[in-house]
Amino acid sequence: MAKWRPKYPRLAVWSERAEHVLTFYEFPPGLRRLVYTNNRVESFNKQLKRMLKKQIQFVTEEALEKRIVSMFLHYNEALGRRRVRCWREIVDYYEAR
């Protein structure tokens, strides 16, 4: 790493802290798949924009806030009903530790 330090100082700093950055890879593969994706966030943002675009005008800022909160609650409720396919694998991994 010493030979790369002068040319790539940021890479050197990153590699010195790699044990903290790469702890993600200690998770079992099933849990990694669940945690690593931002598709759910992007999907929700897209839904939020689409729903708010339909309702162009809000009477007050409070009305907009209530609408957004209700959308969050609905999304969380729907997400909470989903089944995690690899849950048994994740539980076994942590019980074995």
Side-chain angles (χ1 to χ4, degrees):
M1 188 39 117
K3 81 174 193 177
W4 297 104
R5 184 177 299 281
K7 192 169 183 177
Y8 303 104
R10 288 187 179 195
L11 181 63
V13 170
W14 185 85
S15 70
E16 290 167 1
R17 298 180 184 158
E19 72 271 1
H20 301 295
V21 174
L22 301 176
T23 56
F24 172 81
Y25 290 104
E26 293 176 11
F27 293 151
L31 182 58
R32 229 182 300 156
R33 248 190 328 270
L34 292 173
V35 174
Y36 190 62
T37 183
N38 64 353
N39 290 343
R40 289 184 182 158
V41 174
E42 291 173 3
S43 167
F44 180 68
N45 285 338
K46 192 179 285 187
Q47 285 178 1
L48 196 62
K49 286 179 184 178
R50 194 173 340 135
M51 295 293 273
L52 294 176
K53 200 178 256 189
K54 287 179 186 176
Q55 200 168 354
I56 298 170
Q57 201 173 27
F58 291 93
V59 179
T60 63
E61 195 173 315
E62 188 177 308
L64 172 63
E65 187 177 321
K66 283 182 181 181
R67 178 69 175 138
I68 292 173
V69 168
S70 72
M71 290 173 71
F72 271 101
L73 293 174
H74 176 74
Y75 184 78
N76 284 339
E77 184 180 314
L79 196 61
R81 281 182 267 155
R82 284 183 157 180
R83 298 192 73 183
V84 178
R85 289 186 211 146
C86 54
W87 187 250
R88 185 76 253 158
E89 175 190 337
I90 295 167
V91 170
D92 290 343
Y93 173 82
Y94 284 106
E95 284 178 349
R97 287 184 119 206

